[in-house]
Amino acid sequence: MKPSEKDRLRRALEQRRETLVHELDRDASRVRENLDDQAVPDLSRDDAELQDIEAARRRLDDGSYGLCTDCGVEIGLERLHAEPEAARCIDCQRRHEKTYRA
Ligand SMILES: [Zn+2]
């Protein structure tokens, strides 16, 4: 991956992270105030996404970013631009979802 691509994806991750931190704040106050039933699932989904983003930032730093954590192939740039926190190639992601969400 070109360094310029990496910078672009790092910025995308940082922006997404900032948005999520705000969303988490808002989710947490909705949970505290019991505003709606969707607040708890939103909070855990946003929290899970934030964990994925933090993991992706660590991979950027240790140089393993962009490689599938399961099989080691390069994750397509198109997929990374759509989902910069992606840890798996599309095939492994499908297999993972089948295994863990069925
Ligand atoms: Zn893979």
Side-chain angles (χ1 to χ4, degrees), residues 68 71 89 92:
C68 174
C71 72
C89 68
C92 291

Side-chain angles (χ1 to χ4, degrees), residues 19-38:
T19 308
L20 264 179
V21 168
H22 288 298
E23 278 175 19
L24 277 165
D25 259 4
R26 210 187 45 209
D27 294 342
S29 59
R30 276 163 64 214
V31 169
R32 270 196 308 275
E33 291 159 24
N34 256 326
L35 292 183
D36 58 69
D37 295 342
Q38 192 54 37

Side-chain angles (χ1 to χ4, degrees), residues 12-79:
L13 276 170
E14 274 161 13
Q15 267 167 21
R16 184 66 193 134
R17 183 174 173 277
E18 227 165 88
T19 308
L20 264 179
V21 168
H22 288 298
E23 278 175 19
L24 277 165
D25 259 4
R26 210 187 45 209
D27 294 342
S29 59
R30 276 163 64 214
V31 169
R32 270 196 308 275
E33 291 159 24
N34 256 326
L35 292 183
D36 58 69
D37 295 342
Q38 192 54 37
V40 172
D42 279 356
L43 183 67
S44 52
R45 191 205 54 212
D46 287 343
D47 190 55
E49 192 178 344
L50 188 62
Q51 301 303 319
D52 288 346
I53 288 175
E54 295 297 359
R57 293 171 81 219
R58 281 196 295 275
R59 290 196 304 278
L60 268 170
D61 288 335
D62 73 18
S64 64
Y65 182 77
L67 302 177
C68 174
T69 55
D70 283 7
C71 72
V73 304
E74 279 187 26
I75 302 172
L77 271 180
E78 206 176 303
R79 173 160 163 70

